[in-house]
Short mmCIF file of all heavy atoms in Angstrom, two decimals:
data_model
loop_
_atom_site.label_atom_id
_atom_site.label_comp_id
_atom_site.label_asym_id
_atom_site.label_seq_id
_atom_site.Cartn_x
_atom_site.Cartn_y
_atom_site.Cartn_z
N THR A 302 31.34 0.46 -5.12
CA THR A 302 30.19 1.04 -4.50
C THR A 302 30.50 2.33 -3.72
O THR A 302 29.77 3.31 -3.90
CB THR A 302 29.60 -0.06 -3.48
OG1 THR A 302 29.11 -1.20 -4.29
CG2 THR A 302 28.43 0.58 -2.69
N LEU A 303 31.62 2.30 -2.98
CA LEU A 303 32.01 3.51 -2.24
C LEU A 303 32.34 4.63 -3.25
O LEU A 303 32.15 5.76 -2.90
CB LEU A 303 33.04 3.19 -1.23
CG LEU A 303 32.80 2.25 -0.08
CD1 LEU A 303 33.92 2.17 0.85
CD2 LEU A 303 31.53 2.79 0.71
N VAL A 304 32.92 4.23 -4.30
CA VAL A 304 33.38 5.22 -5.36
C VAL A 304 32.07 5.89 -5.88
O VAL A 304 31.96 7.13 -5.95
CB VAL A 304 34.09 4.59 -6.52
CG1 VAL A 304 34.27 5.54 -7.66
CG2 VAL A 304 35.36 3.96 -6.06
N GLY A 305 30.97 5.06 -6.11
CA GLY A 305 29.75 5.62 -6.56
C GLY A 305 29.11 6.50 -5.50
O GLY A 305 28.47 7.59 -5.86
N LEU A 306 29.02 6.04 -4.30
CA LEU A 306 28.47 6.89 -3.19
C LEU A 306 29.17 8.20 -2.97
O LEU A 306 28.58 9.26 -2.82
CB LEU A 306 28.46 6.08 -1.90
CG LEU A 306 27.57 4.87 -1.82
CD1 LEU A 306 27.81 4.10 -0.52
CD2 LEU A 306 26.01 5.30 -1.93
N GLN A 307 30.53 8.10 -3.09
CA GLN A 307 31.32 9.40 -3.05
C GLN A 307 31.04 10.34 -4.16
O GLN A 307 30.90 11.49 -3.91
CB GLN A 307 32.80 9.05 -3.10
CG GLN A 307 33.74 10.23 -2.87
CD GLN A 307 35.19 9.86 -2.76
OE1 GLN A 307 35.54 8.65 -2.83
NE2 GLN A 307 36.06 10.86 -2.61
N LYS A 308 30.76 9.83 -5.37
CA LYS A 308 30.39 10.65 -6.48
C LYS A 308 29.05 11.33 -6.28
O LYS A 308 28.78 12.45 -6.48
CB LYS A 308 30.41 9.79 -7.85
CG LYS A 308 29.99 10.46 -9.08
CD LYS A 308 30.02 9.61 -10.18
CE LYS A 308 29.45 10.33 -11.50
NZ LYS A 308 29.42 9.41 -12.66
N MET A 309 28.09 10.53 -5.64
CA MET A 309 26.78 10.98 -5.42
C MET A 309 26.78 12.10 -4.34
O MET A 309 26.15 13.12 -4.54
CB MET A 309 25.81 9.85 -4.90
CG MET A 309 24.41 10.24 -4.68
SD MET A 309 23.45 8.79 -3.98
CE MET A 309 23.93 8.83 -2.31
N PHE A 310 27.62 11.94 -3.32
CA PHE A 310 27.69 12.85 -2.23
C PHE A 310 28.38 14.15 -2.82
O PHE A 310 27.93 15.28 -2.44
CB PHE A 310 28.47 12.33 -1.01
CG PHE A 310 27.80 11.25 -0.32
CD1 PHE A 310 28.55 10.15 0.30
CD2 PHE A 310 26.41 11.10 -0.24
CE1 PHE A 310 27.98 9.18 1.01
CE2 PHE A 310 25.78 10.11 0.48
CZ PHE A 310 26.53 9.16 1.05
N ASP A 311 29.36 13.97 -3.62
CA ASP A 311 30.08 15.18 -4.19
C ASP A 311 29.08 16.04 -5.04
O ASP A 311 29.15 17.23 -4.93
CB ASP A 311 31.32 14.79 -5.10
CG ASP A 311 32.40 14.25 -4.23
OD1 ASP A 311 32.47 14.61 -3.09
OD2 ASP A 311 33.28 13.53 -4.84
N ASN A 312 28.22 15.30 -5.82
CA ASN A 312 27.28 16.01 -6.63
C ASN A 312 26.29 16.81 -5.72
O ASN A 312 25.87 17.93 -6.08
CB ASN A 312 26.55 15.06 -7.58
CG ASN A 312 27.40 14.59 -8.75
OD1 ASN A 312 28.38 15.30 -9.11
ND2 ASN A 312 27.01 13.48 -9.28
N CYS A 313 25.86 16.18 -4.63
CA CYS A 313 24.97 16.85 -3.77
C CYS A 313 25.58 18.20 -3.21
O CYS A 313 24.95 19.20 -3.12
CB CYS A 313 24.62 15.88 -2.59
SG CYS A 313 23.57 14.53 -3.10
N ILE A 314 26.85 18.08 -2.81
CA ILE A 314 27.44 19.24 -2.27
C ILE A 314 27.69 20.33 -3.22
O ILE A 314 27.37 21.53 -3.04
CB ILE A 314 28.85 18.90 -1.56
CG1 ILE A 314 28.66 17.89 -0.40
CG2 ILE A 314 29.59 20.06 -1.13
CD1 ILE A 314 27.82 18.42 0.66
N GLU A 315 28.16 19.88 -4.47
CA GLU A 315 28.51 20.86 -5.53
C GLU A 315 27.23 21.59 -5.97
O GLU A 315 27.29 22.82 -6.30
CB GLU A 315 29.15 20.14 -6.72
CG GLU A 315 30.50 19.65 -6.45
CD GLU A 315 30.99 18.72 -7.53
OE1 GLU A 315 30.34 18.68 -8.61
OE2 GLU A 315 32.03 18.08 -7.34
#
Side-chain angles (χ1 to χ4, degrees):
T302 298
L303 292 185
V304 174
L306 291 173
Q307 184 174 359
K308 179 180 177 182
M309 183 183 78
F310 293 148
D311 286 341
N312 285 337
C313 289
I314 298 298
E315 289 170 11

